[in-house]
Amino acid sequence: MRAGAMYHDIGKLGSPIFFTENQNNGLNPHEKMPYDESAQIVIHHIESGIKMAQKEKLPRQIIDFIATHQGTMQTKYFYNSFINQNPDEDVDISMFSYPGPTPFTKETAVLMMADSVEAASRSLKSYTDDEIDRLVENIINSQIAEDQFIEAPITFKEISQVKDIFKQKLKNIYHARIEYPELKKKKK
């Protein structure tokens, strides 16, 4: 599980600037691109990662994490933006969809949940307990509704436990830190 988590996004190494976690200088190359082209670049990190892993002879189990961590989900930002910009145009949903397969082990299912929740948590406006709870529920319930775990031998009870763990971990990460007072002057 840990190795799969460490390697699942190696496909981003070929074009790191196209991924928000690497855009710390305010430059976003997607701003000047059509939404369908942007989606294809982002989606391509799966295929690229699989090829890199195969070239380096990584174990099949690690490649499974790379192949399944986005399942058959859509690149929702680009898809929704394209639809909003072109409301009357017929859209080929496959242009905005990851190739799959969907997760087929408990471990790959948990990684999909963790990857999506972690990424979405960075865009929260506030980190209240309610906001974190809502985020985790919405992300994972959406994955369930889109049949992303249908091939994985994971139960609803286990998914509920994973949600609880993610909520607690995010609350620990984002909880407000107390500000320590500085010592003004020592008494003699």
Side-chain angles (χ1 to χ4, degrees):
M1 179 81 193
R2 183 176 297 214
M6 290 173 65
Y7 282 96
H8 80 279
D9 267 342
I10 62 172
K12 292 181 177 181
L13 293 171
S15 52
I17 194 67
F18 286 96
F19 299 91
T20 55
E21 64 268 27
N22 301 316
Q23 295 172 356
N24 57 6
N25 58 3
L27 296 175
N28 181 348
H30 294 291
E31 291 173 357
K32 298 178 181 176
M33 298 176 64
Y35 294 119
D36 52 343
E37 286 181 29
S38 288
Q40 286 299 297
I41 289 170
V42 170
I43 289 167
H44 184 71
H45 89 276
I46 303 293
E47 179 185 338
S48 179
I50 291 169
K51 286 180 181 175
M52 289 173 72
Q54 289 170 335
K55 181 180 177 201
E56 298 302 323
K57 298 181 179 17
L58 293 181
R60 177 79 239 160
Q61 294 90 336
I62 302 301
I63 295 172
D64 291 343
F65 282 93
I66 297 167
T68 63
H69 79 275
Q70 295 291 346
T72 56
M73 303 287 287
Q74 284 81 46
T75 54
K76 284 189 174 58
Y77 175 84
F78 298 119
Y79 176 74
N80 291 348
S81 298
F82 182 88
I83 295 296
N84 290 340
Q85 191 177 61
N86 307 286
D88 299 325
E89 193 171 320
D90 285 338
V91 61
D92 178 2
I93 190 82
S94 69
M95 294 298 294
F96 297 92
S97 300
Y98 287 96
T102 58
F104 48 85
T105 66
K106 285 182 186 185
E107 295 81 5
T108 56
V110 170
L111 178 74
M112 173 188 264
M113 290 182 242
D115 188 50
S116 298
V117 165
E118 184 276 329
S121 74
R122 287 186 263 130
S123 67
L124 281 175
K125 302 279 188 272
S126 69
Y127 293 99
T128 64
D129 288 357
D130 287 343
E131 287 295 317
I132 289 170
D133 289 348
R134 193 173 9 266
L135 172 85
V136 171
E137 290 292 333
N138 288 344
I139 294 290
I140 295 174
N141 289 344
S142 174
Q143 292 170 331
I144 292 168
E146 294 185 40
D147 292 334
Q148 296 303 298
F149 308 126
I150 204 122
E151 299 296 326
I154 191 164
T155 66
F156 284 114
K157 180 178 181 179
E158 291 166 329
I159 291 172
S160 181
Q161 291 169 331
V162 168
K163 286 178 179 179
D164 290 343
I165 291 167
F166 288 169
K167 290 173 188 176
Q168 192 57 51
K169 294 295 181 188
L170 287 174
K171 289 171 188 175
N172 287 343
I173 291 168
Y174 293 119
H175 80 282
R177 310 253 188 242
I178 62 168
E179 193 171 318
Y180 290 93
E182 289 187 30
L183 188 59
K184 293 179 184 173
K185 191 174 182 182
K186 279 188 175 180
K187 288 185 178 182
K188 291 186 180 186

PDB file of all heavy atoms in Angstrom, residues 100-134:
ATOM      1  N   GLY A 100      -9.288   3.969 -16.799  1.00  0.00           N
ATOM      2  CA  GLY A 100      -9.526   2.813 -15.938  1.00  0.00           C
ATOM      3  C   GLY A 100      -8.380   1.842 -16.053  1.00  0.00           C
ATOM      4  O   GLY A 100      -7.348   2.148 -16.669  1.00  0.00           O
ATOM      5  N   PRO A 101      -8.498   0.728 -15.433  1.00  0.00           N
ATOM      6  CA  PRO A 101      -9.697   0.174 -14.814  1.00  0.00           C
ATOM      7  C   PRO A 101      -9.974   0.814 -13.468  1.00  0.00           C
ATOM      8  O   PRO A 101      -9.172   1.600 -12.958  1.00  0.00           O
ATOM      9  CB  PRO A 101      -9.343  -1.306 -14.636  1.00  0.00           C
ATOM     10  CG  PRO A 101      -7.855  -1.307 -14.442  1.00  0.00           C
ATOM     11  CD  PRO A 101      -7.343  -0.192 -15.318  1.00  0.00           C
ATOM     12  N   THR A 102     -11.132   0.453 -12.912  1.00  0.00           N
ATOM     13  CA  THR A 102     -11.458   0.889 -11.566  1.00  0.00           C
ATOM     14  C   THR A 102     -10.676   0.018 -10.581  1.00  0.00           C
ATOM     15  O   THR A 102     -10.200  -1.064 -10.944  1.00  0.00           O
ATOM     16  CB  THR A 102     -12.965   0.767 -11.300  1.00  0.00           C
ATOM     17  OG1 THR A 102     -13.366  -0.586 -11.502  1.00  0.00           O
ATOM     18  CG2 THR A 102     -13.770   1.691 -12.210  1.00  0.00           C
ATOM     19  N   PRO A 103     -10.529   0.475  -9.347  1.00  0.00           N
ATOM     20  CA  PRO A 103      -9.803  -0.328  -8.353  1.00  0.00           C
ATOM     21  C   PRO A 103     -10.410  -1.731  -8.210  1.00  0.00           C
ATOM     22  O   PRO A 103     -11.628  -1.896  -8.268  1.00  0.00           O
ATOM     23  CB  PRO A 103      -9.988   0.469  -7.061  1.00  0.00           C
ATOM     24  CG  PRO A 103     -10.196   1.871  -7.511  1.00  0.00           C
ATOM     25  CD  PRO A 103     -10.975   1.765  -8.790  1.00  0.00           C
ATOM     26  N   PHE A 104      -9.525  -2.704  -8.019  1.00  0.00           N
ATOM     27  CA  PHE A 104     -10.015  -4.081  -7.882  1.00  0.00           C
ATOM     28  C   PHE A 104      -9.424  -4.799  -6.674  1.00  0.00           C
ATOM     29  O   PHE A 104      -9.551  -6.007  -6.534  1.00  0.00           O
ATOM     30  CB  PHE A 104      -9.772  -4.890  -9.164  1.00  0.00           C
ATOM     31  CG  PHE A 104      -8.389  -4.767  -9.726  1.00  0.00           C
ATOM     32  CD1 PHE A 104      -7.355  -5.571  -9.264  1.00  0.00           C
ATOM     33  CD2 PHE A 104      -8.131  -3.850 -10.726  1.00  0.00           C
ATOM     34  CE1 PHE A 104      -6.078  -5.458  -9.797  1.00  0.00           C
ATOM     35  CE2 PHE A 104      -6.863  -3.732 -11.266  1.00  0.00           C
ATOM     36  CZ  PHE A 104      -5.824  -4.536 -10.801  1.00  0.00           C
ATOM     37  N   THR A 105      -8.790  -4.035  -5.792  1.00  0.00           N
ATOM     38  CA  THR A 105      -8.353  -4.549  -4.493  1.00  0.00           C
ATOM     39  C   THR A 105      -8.773  -3.524  -3.446  1.00  0.00           C
ATOM     40  O   THR A 105      -9.035  -2.359  -3.777  1.00  0.00           O
ATOM     41  CB  THR A 105      -6.825  -4.749  -4.410  1.00  0.00           C
ATOM     42  OG1 THR A 105      -6.184  -3.465  -4.488  1.00  0.00           O
ATOM     43  CG2 THR A 105      -6.298  -5.671  -5.514  1.00  0.00           C
ATOM     44  N   LYS A 106      -8.813  -3.938  -2.188  1.00  0.00           N
ATOM     45  CA  LYS A 106      -9.115  -2.977  -1.120  1.00  0.00           C
ATOM     46  C   LYS A 106      -8.084  -1.857  -1.113  1.00  0.00           C
ATOM     47  O   LYS A 106      -8.411  -0.688  -0.937  1.00  0.00           O
ATOM     48  CB  LYS A 106      -9.119  -3.675   0.246  1.00  0.00           C
ATOM     49  CG  LYS A 106     -10.324  -4.522   0.492  1.00  0.00           C
ATOM     50  CD  LYS A 106     -10.274  -5.137   1.881  1.00  0.00           C
ATOM     51  CE  LYS A 106     -11.425  -6.105   2.034  1.00  0.00           C
ATOM     52  NZ  LYS A 106     -11.534  -6.661   3.383  1.00  0.00           N
ATOM     53  N   GLU A 107      -6.842  -2.245  -1.303  1.00  0.00           N
ATOM     54  CA  GLU A 107      -5.760  -1.269  -1.230  1.00  0.00           C
ATOM     55  C   GLU A 107      -5.864  -0.215  -2.323  1.00  0.00           C
ATOM     56  O   GLU A 107      -5.686   0.981  -2.045  1.00  0.00           O
ATOM     57  CB  GLU A 107      -4.402  -1.981  -1.294  1.00  0.00           C
ATOM     58  CG  GLU A 107      -4.104  -2.880  -0.110  1.00  0.00           C
ATOM     59  CD  GLU A 107      -4.754  -4.269  -0.190  1.00  0.00           C
ATOM     60  OE1 GLU A 107      -5.381  -4.605  -1.216  1.00  0.00           O
ATOM     61  OE2 GLU A 107      -4.639  -5.017   0.805  1.00  0.00           O
ATOM     62  N   THR A 108      -6.142  -0.627  -3.549  1.00  0.00           N
ATOM     63  CA  THR A 108      -6.248   0.360  -4.626  1.00  0.00           C
ATOM     64  C   THR A 108      -7.498   1.223  -4.445  1.00  0.00           C
ATOM     65  O   THR A 108      -7.492   2.403  -4.803  1.00  0.00           O
ATOM     66  CB  THR A 108      -6.217  -0.298  -6.027  1.00  0.00           C
ATOM     67  OG1 THR A 108      -7.249  -1.284  -6.126  1.00  0.00           O
ATOM     68  CG2 THR A 108      -4.871  -0.935  -6.307  1.00  0.00           C
ATOM     69  N   ALA A 109      -8.556   0.660  -3.863  1.00  0.00           N
ATOM     70  CA  ALA A 109      -9.758   1.449  -3.581  1.00  0.00           C
ATOM     71  C   ALA A 109      -9.456   2.525  -2.530  1.00  0.00           C
ATOM     72  O   ALA A 109      -9.846   3.684  -2.678  1.00  0.00           O
ATOM     73  CB  ALA A 109     -10.896   0.538  -3.112  1.00  0.00           C
ATOM     74  N   VAL A 110      -8.743   2.140  -1.481  1.00  0.00           N
ATOM     75  CA  VAL A 110      -8.403   3.097  -0.428  1.00  0.00           C
ATOM     76  C   VAL A 110      -7.494   4.192  -0.986  1.00  0.00           C
ATOM     77  O   VAL A 110      -7.661   5.373  -0.662  1.00  0.00           O
ATOM     78  CB  VAL A 110      -7.770   2.391   0.798  1.00  0.00           C
ATOM     79  CG1 VAL A 110      -7.194   3.398   1.782  1.00  0.00           C
ATOM     80  CG2 VAL A 110      -8.799   1.496   1.478  1.00  0.00           C
ATOM     81  N   LEU A 111      -6.547   3.830  -1.844  1.00  0.00           N
ATOM     82  CA  LEU A 111      -5.685   4.856  -2.431  1.00  0.00           C
ATOM     83  C   LEU A 111      -6.494   5.829  -3.273  1.00  0.00           C
ATOM     84  O   LEU A 111      -6.268   7.043  -3.216  1.00  0.00           O
ATOM     85  CB  LEU A 111      -4.570   4.246  -3.283  1.00  0.00           C
ATOM     86  CG  LEU A 111      -3.698   5.331  -3.927  1.00  0.00           C
ATOM     87  CD1 LEU A 111      -2.783   5.967  -2.897  1.00  0.00           C
ATOM     88  CD2 LEU A 111      -2.917   4.807  -5.086  1.00  0.00           C
ATOM     89  N   MET A 112      -7.448   5.336  -4.050  1.00  0.00           N
ATOM     90  CA  MET A 112      -8.280   6.236  -4.849  1.00  0.00           C
ATOM     91  C   MET A 112      -8.994   7.224  -3.929  1.00  0.00           C
ATOM     92  O   MET A 112      -9.003   8.432  -4.197  1.00  0.00           O
ATOM     93  CB  MET A 112      -9.318   5.476  -5.670  1.00  0.00           C
ATOM     94  CG  MET A 112     -10.292   6.414  -6.378  1.00  0.00           C
ATOM     95  SD  MET A 112     -11.660   5.583  -7.157  1.00  0.00           S
ATOM     96  CE  MET A 112     -11.023   5.465  -8.822  1.00  0.00           C
ATOM     97  N   MET A 113      -9.556   6.721  -2.844  1.00  0.00           N
ATOM     98  CA  MET A 113     -10.253   7.600  -1.905  1.00  0.00           C
ATOM     99  C   MET A 113      -9.280   8.630  -1.318  1.00  0.00           C
ATOM    100  O   MET A 113      -9.571   9.830  -1.282  1.00  0.00           O
ATOM    101  CB  MET A 113     -10.888   6.778  -0.776  1.00  0.00           C
ATOM    102  CG  MET A 113     -12.059   5.928  -1.205  1.00  0.00           C
ATOM    103  SD  MET A 113     -12.754   5.039   0.225  1.00  0.00           S
ATOM    104  CE  MET A 113     -12.474   3.348  -0.273  1.00  0.00           C
ATOM    105  N   ALA A 114      -8.133   8.149  -0.855  1.00  0.00           N
ATOM    106  CA  ALA A 114      -7.150   9.036  -0.208  1.00  0.00           C
ATOM    107  C   ALA A 114      -6.654  10.104  -1.175  1.00  0.00           C
ATOM    108  O   ALA A 114      -6.551  11.284  -0.813  1.00  0.00           O
ATOM    109  CB  ALA A 114      -5.978   8.215   0.322  1.00  0.00           C
ATOM    110  N   ASP A 115      -6.339   9.717  -2.393  1.00  0.00           N
ATOM    111  CA  ASP A 115      -5.810  10.658  -3.385  1.00  0.00           C
ATOM    112  C   ASP A 115      -6.826  11.764  -3.676  1.00  0.00           C
ATOM    113  O   ASP A 115      -6.485  12.951  -3.700  1.00  0.00           O
ATOM    114  CB  ASP A 115      -5.454   9.885  -4.659  1.00  0.00           C
ATOM    115  CG  ASP A 115      -4.729  10.733  -5.682  1.00  0.00           C
ATOM    116  OD1 ASP A 115      -3.742  11.399  -5.317  1.00  0.00           O
ATOM    117  OD2 ASP A 115      -5.157  10.723  -6.857  1.00  0.00           O
ATOM    118  N   SER A 116      -8.074  11.384  -3.866  1.00  0.00           N
ATOM    119  CA  SER A 116      -9.115  12.365  -4.179  1.00  0.00           C
ATOM    120  C   SER A 116      -9.412  13.282  -2.997  1.00  0.00           C
ATOM    121  O   SER A 116      -9.556  14.494  -3.159  1.00  0.00           O
ATOM    122  CB  SER A 116     -10.402  11.648  -4.603  1.00  0.00           C
ATOM    123  OG  SER A 116     -10.188  10.901  -5.768  1.00  0.00           O
ATOM    124  N   VAL A 117      -9.495  12.705  -1.804  1.00  0.00           N
ATOM    125  CA  VAL A 117      -9.794  13.499  -0.614  1.00  0.00           C
ATOM    126  C   VAL A 117      -8.659  14.471  -0.322  1.00  0.00           C
ATOM    127  O   VAL A 117      -8.886  15.653  -0.030  1.00  0.00           O
ATOM    128  CB  VAL A 117     -10.093  12.576   0.593  1.00  0.00           C
ATOM    129  CG1 VAL A 117     -10.046  13.337   1.906  1.00  0.00           C
ATOM    130  CG2 VAL A 117     -11.438  11.881   0.417  1.00  0.00           C
ATOM    131  N   GLU A 118      -7.437  13.996  -0.425  1.00  0.00           N
ATOM    132  CA  GLU A 118      -6.283  14.870  -0.157  1.00  0.00           C
ATOM    133  C   GLU A 118      -6.250  16.029  -1.138  1.00  0.00           C
ATOM    134  O   GLU A 118      -6.066  17.185  -0.749  1.00  0.00           O
ATOM    135  CB  GLU A 118      -4.981  14.061  -0.229  1.00  0.00           C
ATOM    136  CG  GLU A 118      -3.734  14.845   0.132  1.00  0.00           C
ATOM    137  CD  GLU A 118      -3.154  15.657  -1.013  1.00  0.00           C
ATOM    138  OE1 GLU A 118      -3.290  15.244  -2.179  1.00  0.00           O
ATOM    139  OE2 GLU A 118      -2.565  16.724  -0.734  1.00  0.00           O
ATOM    140  N   ALA A 119      -6.432  15.750  -2.414  1.00  0.00           N
ATOM    141  CA  ALA A 119      -6.397  16.808  -3.425  1.00  0.00           C
ATOM    142  C   ALA A 119      -7.515  17.822  -3.188  1.00  0.00           C
ATOM    143  O   ALA A 119      -7.286  19.034  -3.226  1.00  0.00           O
ATOM    144  CB  ALA A 119      -6.504  16.207  -4.820  1.00  0.00           C
ATOM    145  N   ALA A 120      -8.706  17.340  -2.928  1.00  0.00           N
ATOM    146  CA  ALA A 120      -9.846  18.236  -2.713  1.00  0.00           C
ATOM    147  C   ALA A 120      -9.690  19.045  -1.424  1.00  0.00           C
ATOM    148  O   ALA A 120     -10.145  20.188  -1.355  1.00  0.00           O
ATOM    149  CB  ALA A 120     -11.141  17.433  -2.681  1.00  0.00           C
ATOM    150  N   SER A 121      -9.036  18.483  -0.433  1.00  0.00           N
ATOM    151  CA  SER A 121      -8.899  19.188   0.848  1.00  0.00           C
ATOM    152  C   SER A 121      -8.073  20.460   0.709  1.00  0.00           C
ATOM    153  O   SER A 121      -8.250  21.402   1.473  1.00  0.00           O
ATOM    154  CB  SER A 121      -8.287  18.270   1.910  1.00  0.00           C
ATOM    155  OG  SER A 121      -6.901  18.083   1.694  1.00  0.00           O
ATOM    156  N   ARG A 122      -7.198  20.505  -0.275  1.00  0.00           N
ATOM    157  CA  ARG A 122      -6.365  21.697  -0.465  1.00  0.00           C
ATOM    158  C   ARG A 122      -7.162  22.889  -0.989  1.00  0.00           C
ATOM    159  O   ARG A 122      -6.684  24.011  -0.963  1.00  0.00           O
ATOM    160  CB  ARG A 122      -5.205  21.394  -1.410  1.00  0.00           C
ATOM    161  CG  ARG A 122      -4.147  20.525  -0.737  1.00  0.00           C
ATOM    162  CD  ARG A 122      -2.922  20.332  -1.584  1.00  0.00           C
ATOM    163  NE  ARG A 122      -3.042  19.061  -2.296  1.00  0.00           N
ATOM    164  CZ  ARG A 122      -2.860  18.907  -3.588  1.00  0.00           C
ATOM    165  NH1 ARG A 122      -2.524  19.921  -4.331  1.00  0.00           N
ATOM    166  NH2 ARG A 122      -2.989  17.730  -4.152  1.00  0.00           N
ATOM    167  N   SER A 123      -8.373  22.631  -1.481  1.00  0.00           N
ATOM    168  CA  SER A 123      -9.177  23.722  -2.029  1.00  0.00           C
ATOM    169  C   SER A 123     -10.273  24.195  -1.078  1.00  0.00           C
ATOM    170  O   SER A 123     -11.062  25.069  -1.441  1.00  0.00           O
ATOM    171  CB  SER A 123      -9.801  23.285  -3.359  1.00  0.00           C
ATOM    172  OG  SER A 123     -10.754  22.266  -3.135  1.00  0.00           O
ATOM    173  N   LEU A 124     -10.325  23.646   0.116  1.00  0.00           N
ATOM    174  CA  LEU A 124     -11.334  24.095   1.078  1.00  0.00           C
ATOM    175  C   LEU A 124     -11.096  25.557   1.466  1.00  0.00           C
ATOM    176  O   LEU A 124      -9.959  25.978   1.634  1.00  0.00           O
ATOM    177  CB  LEU A 124     -11.302  23.233   2.344  1.00  0.00           C
ATOM    178  CG  LEU A 124     -11.990  21.875   2.282  1.00  0.00           C
ATOM    179  CD1 LEU A 124     -11.757  21.112   3.580  1.00  0.00           C
ATOM    180  CD2 LEU A 124     -13.481  22.029   2.022  1.00  0.00           C
ATOM    181  N   LYS A 125     -12.175  26.290   1.601  1.00  0.00           N
ATOM    182  CA  LYS A 125     -12.080  27.696   2.018  1.00  0.00           C
ATOM    183  C   LYS A 125     -11.866  27.800   3.527  1.00  0.00           C
ATOM    184  O   LYS A 125     -11.198  28.685   4.021  1.00  0.00           O
ATOM    185  CB  LYS A 125     -13.353  28.455   1.634  1.00  0.00           C
ATOM    186  CG  LYS A 125     -13.652  28.416   0.141  1.00  0.00           C
ATOM    187  CD  LYS A 125     -12.841  29.427  -0.621  1.00  0.00           C
ATOM    188  CE  LYS A 125     -13.257  29.533  -2.052  1.00  0.00           C
ATOM    189  NZ  LYS A 125     -12.618  28.625  -2.962  1.00  0.00           N
ATOM    190  N   SER A 126     -12.492  26.872   4.267  1.00  0.00           N
ATOM    191  CA  SER A 126     -12.295  26.830   5.714  1.00  0.00           C
ATOM    192  C   SER A 126     -12.168  25.366   6.136  1.00  0.00           C
ATOM    193  O   SER A 126     -12.683  24.471   5.468  1.00  0.00           O
ATOM    194  CB  SER A 126     -13.448  27.512   6.450  1.00  0.00           C
ATOM    195  OG  SER A 126     -14.635  26.757   6.323  1.00  0.00           O
ATOM    196  N   TYR A 127     -11.498  25.168   7.235  1.00  0.00           N
ATOM    197  CA  TYR A 127     -11.207  23.809   7.685  1.00  0.00           C
ATOM    198  C   TYR A 127     -11.939  23.478   8.984  1.00  0.00           C
ATOM    199  O   TYR A 127     -11.365  22.942   9.912  1.00  0.00           O
ATOM    200  CB  TYR A 127      -9.692  23.636   7.848  1.00  0.00           C
ATOM    201  CG  TYR A 127      -8.978  23.699   6.522  1.00  0.00           C
ATOM    202  CD1 TYR A 127      -8.362  24.873   6.098  1.00  0.00           C
ATOM    203  CD2 TYR A 127      -8.950  22.607   5.678  1.00  0.00           C
ATOM    204  CE1 TYR A 127      -7.726  24.934   4.863  1.00  0.00           C
ATOM    205  CE2 TYR A 127      -8.328  22.662   4.445  1.00  0.00           C
ATOM    206  CZ  TYR A 127      -7.711  23.830   4.051  1.00  0.00           C
ATOM    207  OH  TYR A 127      -7.095  23.884   2.827  1.00  0.00           O
ATOM    208  N   THR A 128     -13.215  23.787   9.014  1.00  0.00           N
ATOM    209  CA  THR A 128     -14.020  23.435  10.174  1.00  0.00           C
ATOM    210  C   THR A 128     -14.296  21.936  10.133  1.00  0.00           C
ATOM    211  O   THR A 128     -14.192  21.289   9.079  1.00  0.00           O
ATOM    212  CB  THR A 128     -15.364  24.190  10.175  1.00  0.00           C
ATOM    213  OG1 THR A 128     -16.122  23.772   9.037  1.00  0.00           O
ATOM    214  CG2 THR A 128     -15.151  25.696  10.145  1.00  0.00           C
ATOM    215  N   ASP A 129     -14.689  21.403  11.268  1.00  0.00           N
ATOM    216  CA  ASP A 129     -15.035  19.983  11.314  1.00  0.00           C
ATOM    217  C   ASP A 129     -16.146  19.651  10.331  1.00  0.00           C
ATOM    218  O   ASP A 129     -16.081  18.633   9.637  1.00  0.00           O
ATOM    219  CB  ASP A 129     -15.457  19.583  12.734  1.00  0.00           C
ATOM    220  CG  ASP A 129     -14.283  19.536  13.706  1.00  0.00           C
ATOM    221  OD1 ASP A 129     -13.122  19.764  13.275  1.00  0.00           O
ATOM    222  OD2 ASP A 129     -14.517  19.267  14.899  1.00  0.00           O
ATOM    223  N   ASP A 130     -17.156  20.511  10.252  1.00  0.00           N
ATOM    224  CA  ASP A 130     -18.277  20.267   9.336  1.00  0.00           C
ATOM    225  C   ASP A 130     -17.833  20.276   7.877  1.00  0.00           C
ATOM    226  O   ASP A 130     -18.272  19.441   7.080  1.00  0.00           O
ATOM    227  CB  ASP A 130     -19.385  21.307   9.538  1.00  0.00           C
ATOM    228  CG  ASP A 130     -20.162  21.078  10.825  1.00  0.00           C
ATOM    229  OD1 ASP A 130     -20.077  19.969  11.400  1.00  0.00           O
ATOM    230  OD2 ASP A 130     -20.867  22.012  11.258  1.00  0.00           O
ATOM    231  N   GLU A 131     -16.961  21.221   7.520  1.00  0.00           N
ATOM    232  CA  GLU A 131     -16.477  21.298   6.136  1.00  0.00           C
ATOM    233  C   GLU A 131     -15.657  20.061   5.770  1.00  0.00           C
ATOM    234  O   GLU A 131     -15.787  19.515   4.673  1.00  0.00           O
ATOM    235  CB  GLU A 131     -15.640  22.567   5.924  1.00  0.00           C
ATOM    236  CG  GLU A 131     -16.442  23.835   5.885  1.00  0.00           C
ATOM    237  CD  GLU A 131     -17.383  23.918   4.698  1.00  0.00           C
ATOM    238  OE1 GLU A 131     -16.982  23.554   3.576  1.00  0.00           O
ATOM    239  OE2 GLU A 131     -18.532  24.323   4.904  1.00  0.00           O
ATOM    240  N   ILE A 132     -14.821  19.626   6.678  1.00  0.00           N
ATOM    241  CA  ILE A 132     -14.009  18.428   6.430  1.00  0.00           C
ATOM    242  C   ILE A 132     -14.902  17.202   6.316  1.00  0.00           C
ATOM    243  O   ILE A 132     -14.742  16.388   5.398  1.00  0.00           O
ATOM    244  CB  ILE A 132     -12.939  18.269   7.529  1.00  0.00           C
ATOM    245  CG1 ILE A 132     -11.869  19.362   7.353  1.00  0.00           C
ATOM    246  CG2 ILE A 132     -12.312  16.878   7.495  1.00  0.00           C
ATOM    247  CD1 ILE A 132     -10.880  19.463   8.504  1.00  0.00           C
ATOM    248  N   ASP A 133     -15.857  17.065   7.225  1.00  0.00           N
ATOM    249  CA  ASP A 133     -16.785  15.924   7.169  1.00  0.00           C
ATOM    250  C   ASP A 133     -17.533  15.898   5.842  1.00  0.00           C
ATOM    251  O   ASP A 133     -17.649  14.863   5.185  1.00  0.00           O
ATOM    252  CB  ASP A 133     -17.795  15.979   8.320  1.00  0.00           C
ATOM    253  CG  ASP A 133     -17.176  15.685   9.677  1.00  0.00           C
ATOM    254  OD1 ASP A 133     -16.015  15.218   9.733  1.00  0.00           O
ATOM    255  OD2 ASP A 133     -17.865  15.924  10.692  1.00  0.00           O
ATOM    256  N   ARG A 134     -18.040  17.072   5.449  1.00  0.00           N
ATOM    257  CA  ARG A 134     -18.809  17.176   4.204  1.00  0.00           C
ATOM    258  C   ARG A 134     -17.940  16.825   2.990  1.00  0.00           C
ATOM    259  O   ARG A 134     -18.365  16.115   2.088  1.00  0.00           O
ATOM    260  CB  ARG A 134     -19.388  18.593   4.087  1.00  0.00           C
ATOM    261  CG  ARG A 134     -20.431  18.743   3.024  1.00  0.00           C
ATOM    262  CD  ARG A 134     -21.152  20.094   2.997  1.00  0.00           C
ATOM    263  NE  ARG A 134     -20.675  21.173   3.838  1.00  0.00           N
ATOM    264  CZ  ARG A 134     -21.148  21.451   5.068  1.00  0.00           C
ATOM    265  NH1 ARG A 134     -22.095  20.718   5.596  1.00  0.00           N
ATOM    266  NH2 ARG A 134     -20.659  22.471   5.763  1.00  0.00           N
TER     267      ARG A 134
END
